[in-house]
Each structure stands twice: as C-alpha cells, then as structure tokens.
Amino acid sequence: MGKFYSGFVSLIGRPNVGKSTLMNCLIGEKIAITSNKPQTTRNKITSILTKDDFQCVFLDTPGIHKPKHKLGEFMVRSAENTFKEVDLVLFLVEPTDKVLEADQYVLEKLGNVKTPVVLVINKIDTVPEKEKLLAIIDAYRKLYPFKEVVPISAATGSNTETLLSVIRKFLPEGPQYFPAEMVTDQPERQIASEIIREKALYLLQDEIPHGIAVEIMSMKKRPDQNMVDVQALIYCEKDSHKGIIIGKNGAMLKKISTEARRDIERFMGTKVYLETWVKVKENWRDNMNYIRLFGYDEQ
C-alpha cells in the first residue's frame, strides 16, 4: 500500500471569479451554487475530492469584498478565517488587463499568511493571445510570492488536471478524512436551500437577489415511496420584492420552484415534491439572529 495524502484547500478571490464553478468542475457534481451575480456563496461550502492516492477537502469561501452590512462582514470573516486552517490557498482571478483594485484588496488580506498560495487564472478561454496571459502572470508575480501559477478554464475544464497535480504536491501525508463516495459535508437541507436561492438569483432582477434567504421548513421522505416532500420559505426584505418574486399569477415563483426541484431531484437521486412560500423580513442582513437562522453560522 503506497502513501496517502490528504489536506484542506481554500478557494478564495473577489466575488464572481468562478470559485464555485471550479469546485463543481473538480468534484464533478453540483455542490456549490453558481450565478453571474457577485456574492452568490455566503457560507463556507465543503466539498470532497477523493482519488487513488489523495483526498482533497475544498472550502469554497464567500468572495472577499469591502462589506456593507453585517452579513457582508460575516461573509468576509468566514473567508479570511480559512487562510489559517488550510494546507493550501488557491487565489482565483480573471485575466484582466491590469490587476483590479478588488484583487489587490484580497492580496492585502493574504499579506501575512504563512500558508502556501497558488494563483489560479480562470477563464483563459477568453484570452487567445499567449503574450497577454504571460503579461498578466508577470503583473501578479510582482505583487505576491505565489508558489505556482496555473491558468485554467473552470467552465470548459481546460487545464484543471494540471491544477489537481499542483494541489496534490502541497497535500501532507495523512488519513482519508471522508468516505471515498462522499462529495460534500453539507446536510441535504442546506444544499436544497442553496439550490432554491440559486434559481431565484438567476431568474430575478438585479436589485432583489442579495436580500433573499431560503429556509427549509421541512424535508420528509414519504413512507414506501421514492418521493421527498420539501417545504421552503423564501425570505426577502421588502413587500415590493415579494410581489416580484411571486410574479404575475404566481408565474415567477412557479418557475423558480420548477427549476429548483429538478436540481434537488438530481442531487438527492429521488423524486421531490417542492412547495415554496415568500415572506418579508425587513433588513434581515443586519440582524445576527436571522443570519444564524438562515444557516450562516460561525462554525
């Protein structure tokens, strides 16, 4: 029996650089929610990749940004806390012409981190010129002593095998923490609520989504049937938002529910009967009690 390696890897970066897409690509299953809106990920999602000789536990953190409310502060703190807890930090950026201020802000947060950091340049399918890519790598190397730089495309899977071999180099020898078939430590309720929130983010107008949270009221398997009943409450911050989420004759809520149900069924491997309601909770993002209620705990 050869040596086995295992460790924890944090995926960090400013909002909307493709962290969740990359994690889903590496794991091969939909664990983290993705959307083209920033701050989609609110909590540390743990996903697990097991290969013949190593196991990698990924923490997909909320995008690091300058917070505007208590939920924002919690999101940034939960991302920063992972720096000290892991064996490797993957810093994800996009191939922009110059280093963005938001990325410099993340680099400042990494300033006194002793954990090795690998720069991952995502979305390289958008940069056909090799010279441009080399210039981007050079600009980042001047700002931080990255252990390695790996250009990838999480959307197409391009060069992700190279990234995995780099990750493997930094994992210490150790035990297998989770069973080989396990892909996440998130309870099914958490995954279901995140899937519903993703569909709302995707389908709704820009000004509403970040005021949305989802609470799973109940999740019960029907006896002797391959069917799970799920009841979910979608919270928003204003009455006007409630009307938009429900839509004309309930059309929008029905659309959100239908798309969410398909993904939940795929994840759980069973038929799902999903019921959703919408409730207003004003300014919940500044209320720690609600932040905890919706699963954004400090653990």
Side-chain angles (χ1 to χ4, degrees):
M1 186 75 181
K3 288 181 176 178
F4 195 83
Y5 299 86
S6 58
F8 294 81
V9 175
S10 178
L11 274 159
I12 67 155
R14 63 185 170 80
N16 206 24
V17 287
K19 297 185 295 295
S20 299
T21 305
L22 173 59
M23 197 166 74
N24 291 339
C25 166
L26 293 175
I27 302 298
E29 290 213 25
K30 185 161 188 166
I31 303 300
I33 79 168
T34 60
S35 90
N36 59 0
K37 298 185 171 74
Q39 294 175 42
T40 304
T41 303
R42 285 193 183 146
N43 216 339
K44 287 184 294 188
I45 305 275
T46 306
S47 60
I48 303 129
L49 176 67
T50 308
K51 296 286 188 182
D52 290 342
D53 65 340
F54 74 93
Q55 184 174 75
C56 182
V57 183
F58 289 101
L59 305 179
D60 175 26
T61 61
I64 295 173
H65 60 287
K66 288 179 179 166
K68 295 186 179 72
H69 41 60
K70 279 200 176 79
L71 176 64
E73 286 167 18
F74 165 78
M75 288 160 65
V76 173
R77 199 163 58 245
S78 83
E80 289 175 15
N81 285 344
T82 63
F83 297 166
K84 309 176 200 79
E85 300 166 359
V86 295
D87 301 291
L88 178 66
V89 172
L90 298 181
F91 176 35
L92 233 71
V93 299
E94 288 177 324
T96 46
D97 285 330
K98 60 182 196 296
V99 179
L100 300 181
E101 191 184 325
D103 290 324
Q104 289 182 346
Y105 181 72
V106 178
L107 284 171
E108 282 167 31
K109 297 286 181 189
L110 285 171
N112 49 11
V113 170
K114 293 181 174 60
T115 311
V117 181
V118 167
L119 179 68
V120 180
I121 301 174
N122 190 21
K123 307 183 184 180
I124 54 162
D125 45 316
T126 62
V127 188
E129 314 87 35
K130 196 177 177 191
E131 288 74 24
K132 187 181 172 188
L133 193 57
L134 291 171
I136 294 162
I137 292 169
D138 194 44
Y140 274 97
R141 280 208 180 275
K142 284 176 180 156
L143 294 173
Y144 193 88
F146 295 104
K147 295 292 181 190
E148 302 216 17
V149 179
V150 186
I152 62 144
S153 168
T156 65
S158 174
N159 217 31
T160 49
E161 283 301 318
T162 304
L163 178 60
L164 274 181
S165 63
V166 167
I167 291 167
R168 157 83 172 66
K169 279 200 301 196
F170 289 95
L171 298 180
E173 199 177 331
Q176 186 173 310
Y177 294 105
F178 296 96
E181 68 282 355
M182 192 170 169
V183 292
T184 182
D185 72 343
Q186 296 292 297
E188 286 179 336
R189 276 171 176 254
Q190 177 93 6
I191 297 281
S193 73
E194 287 288 271
I195 287 171
I196 296 166
R197 191 165 70 88
E198 175 190 40
K199 300 310 172 191
L201 280 172
Y202 181 69
L203 292 166
L204 290 167
Q205 298 173 17
D206 287 346
E207 68 269 20
I208 297 170
H210 297 309
I212 282 181
V214 177
E215 183 186 5
I216 301 295
M217 306 298 291
S218 78
M219 185 181 267
K220 290 179 184 153
K221 190 173 191 308
R222 290 188 193 177
D224 310 320
Q225 285 185 49
N226 187 30
M227 172 77 79
V228 173
D229 290 305
V230 179
Q231 295 182 322
L233 257 180
I234 299 173
Y235 290 90
C236 59
E237 292 185 310
K238 294 177 183 172
D239 279 321
S240 58
H241 290 177
K242 181 177 178 178
I244 295 168
I245 295 166
I246 292 170
K248 194 176 178 184
N249 300 324
M252 178 55 76
L253 186 60
K254 188 176 180 186
K255 200 170 181 184
I256 291 167
S257 303
T258 302
E259 293 206 8
R261 178 183 54 76
R262 286 194 198 115
D263 267 15
I264 296 168
E265 285 182 338
R266 204 173 296 133
F267 173 72
M268 295 178 70
T270 179
K271 288 276 178 206
V272 168
Y273 179 69
L274 175 63
E275 291 181 283
T276 49
W277 294 269
V278 183
K279 195 171 178 179
V280 177
K281 276 269 179 275
E282 288 186 13
N283 301 322
W284 69 263
R285 286 183 289 178
D286 271 321
N287 185 318
M288 280 313 294
N289 290 330
Y290 285 120
I291 289 170
R292 288 190 192 101
L293 173 69
F294 300 142
Y296 309 121
D297 55 30
E298 299 279 359
Q299 302 307 310

